[in-house]
Amino acid sequence: MNRERYKVGLAAALLIALVSTASAQQSASTSASDIDPGAVAALDKMGAYLRTVKTFRVTAMTTRDTVLDNGLLVKRDGKADILAQFPSHLRIETVNGEKQRLYLYDGKNFTLYGKVIQYYATMPAPPTIGQLAAVLADKYDIELPLEDLFWWGTERVNSSAIVAAADAGPADVQGTTCEHYAFRQEGIDWQIWIQLGDNPLPRRLVISTTTDEARPQYSAVYTWDLAPSFNEAAFTFEPPAEAKRIGFATVADSAGAN
Amino acid sequence: MTKVILRQTMAAVLTALLAATTGLALPNKPGGGGGGGSRGQAKSSVNNAGNRNSNSNRNTNVNENRNVNVNQNKNVNRNSNVNVNRNVDVDVDVHHRGGYYGGGCCYNSNPIATAAAVTATAMVTAAVIGSVVNTVPAGCTTTVINGMAYQQCGSTWYQPQYAGTSVTYMVVGHP
């Protein structure tokens, strides 16, 4: 009799212990307090706003670390100049060191051209910038410069990937008052500065890669023009006389040029 | 007895000296210093999950059965991730680098392309069809066949291509 009672008591104690351990573990990994819902909402709001901007020109000064085999970081500066007319026109010029690239998309074809090396490659392209960005990333391993500007506000954003989010308060980016947020996802810790007011544009982005102990960083500071002037010819490629055509290597079929 | 000790000391001193001089000599070698390649790059997107395996070996080798090479190498899918020990001067944007070895820089900004590519110097001896290099040797000629550019280097033909946003050169048979 006593023994039975003892057994029941033991089982209950074990159960309580188990339950409390489980909840303790849960709070360690996914505690709601790690995620400031306001920070996530601000991100969503920025994305939704970005998708309402149908024409923009944005220039960005970027830096990107490369990690040498011995762990040393080497930071390189770059510049990107993007003219986008949604849904189907894009012109991007980049300069990274000696490497210059021109990306052109007119809704029908996508061309990548190297001004210094004088090679260009052209392929038929899907009908929207969003689809183009996806094809380039998934099939050709081509990152559109500042590609997040095309992803935010689309179904490609996975909010549940965010495991920590904080609002770091107001901060100035090149004379514009922004709200500064910090986020953690698998493999990256990142920060964004979002313009305060009616036009919640991203003004600055910093991404630290956490899968490498050297924690290499990427950063971009954006300058926006929401009423750019341009003409249609800006999006179409006319190969210069000295430029020669080559192909694109695909990621999937492991073979070379098309 | 003392003689032996003296001799041993002399030998030790000599060895030490030798080691010191070789150690000192290394940085003076052309293109020396730095060494090795890069193991990755900072991710540049928060929404692109693929951006990303920063050292993936893109397998750019084709199993082409037009083996012009005398060495009947079966073109097995070899991962040409040869760590050639030189300063890889990648992120190159020229067809070939001039005569000197190594060049200024010691890292590359496109690890994906580099991981899959063997350097041109290494390839001269064995230009296996389907292998990929970052630069072609000096003295190659650009030829356009059917509207596409090739680099002809002696009896070896390279087909330039955009791998990501970097140009790499794949060894092909005579087009």
Side-chain angles (χ1 to χ4, degrees), chain B residues 11-110:
Chain B
V13 167
L14 270 175
T15 324
L17 257 174
L18 206 70
T21 29
T22 17
L24 281 171
L26 277 174
N28 295 329
K29 271 167 70 179
S38 69
R39 69 185 187 205
Q41 229 185 341
K43 291 176 188 173
S44 64
S45 166
V46 301
N47 294 307
N48 199 341
N51 165 353
R52 359 305 148 166
N53 44 12
S54 27
N55 255 332
S56 71
N57 290 333
R58 174 210 297 274
N59 198 344
T60 17
N61 293 339
V62 212
N63 283 326
E64 252 191 291
N65 252 346
R66 37 211 290 244
N67 208 338
V68 201
N69 289 343
V70 195
N71 299 350
Q72 289 285 358
N73 286 337
K74 295 143 209 130
N75 279 338
V76 196
N77 260 348
R78 15 200 242 120
N79 238 338
S80 37
N81 195 3
V82 185
N83 277 333
V84 183
N85 196 7
R86 53 169 280 205
N87 292 336
V88 203
D89 120 88
V90 202
D91 208 13
V92 281
D93 212 21
V94 290
H95 303 289
H96 64 84
R97 278 292 191 218
Y100 75 101
Y101 183 63
C105 195
C106 44
Y107 57 89
N108 69 80
S109 78
N110 192 338

Side-chain angles (χ1 to χ4, degrees), chain A residues 64-71 74 76 96 98-101 103 112-114 116-117 119-121 137-138 140-143 147-148 151-152 156-158 185-188 190 205 207 209 211-214 216-218 244-251 254-258, chain B residues 34-52 54-56 58-62 77 83 89-95 97 105-110 112-113 142-144 147-151 159-170:
Chain A
R64 192 168 187 179
D65 289 335
T66 295
V67 190
L68 301 191
D69 284 341
N70 60 12
V74 177
R76 307 189 82 196
N96 291 288
E98 68 176 12
K99 192 164 137 183
Q100 296 184 32
R101 291 290 179 266
Y103 307 66
L112 181 62
Y113 167 57
V116 178
I117 200 164
Y119 282 137
Y120 72 94
D138 301 340
Y140 295 95
D141 195 29
I142 293 174
E143 304 166 7
E147 61 186 323
D148 284 321
W151 298 132
W152 277 312
R156 189 125 173 167
V157 172
N158 178 11
Q185 288 171 214
E186 192 189 341
I188 53 171
W190 58 285
L205 176 68
I207 306 173
T209 302
T211 47
D212 190 316
E213 64 188 16
Q217 254 188 15
Y218 166 87
K244 296 189 169 55
R245 185 168 181 181
I246 61 173
F248 288 102
T250 57
V251 176
S254 74
N258 52 21
Chain B
S38 69
R39 69 185 187 205
Q41 229 185 341
K43 291 176 188 173
S44 64
S45 166
V46 301
N47 294 307
N48 199 341
N51 165 353
R52 359 305 148 166
S54 27
N55 255 332
S56 71
R58 174 210 297 274
N59 198 344
T60 17
N61 293 339
V62 212
N77 260 348
N83 277 333
D89 120 88
V90 202
D91 208 13
V92 281
D93 212 21
V94 290
H95 303 289
R97 278 292 191 218
C105 195
C106 44
Y107 57 89
N108 69 80
S109 78
N110 192 338
I112 297 169
T142 307
T143 312
V144 174
M148 304 297 275
Y150 292 86
Q151 290 281 334
Q159 184 171 29
Q161 59 187 6
Y162 276 113
T165 59
S166 294
V167 174
T168 60
Y169 300 81
M170 186 168 63

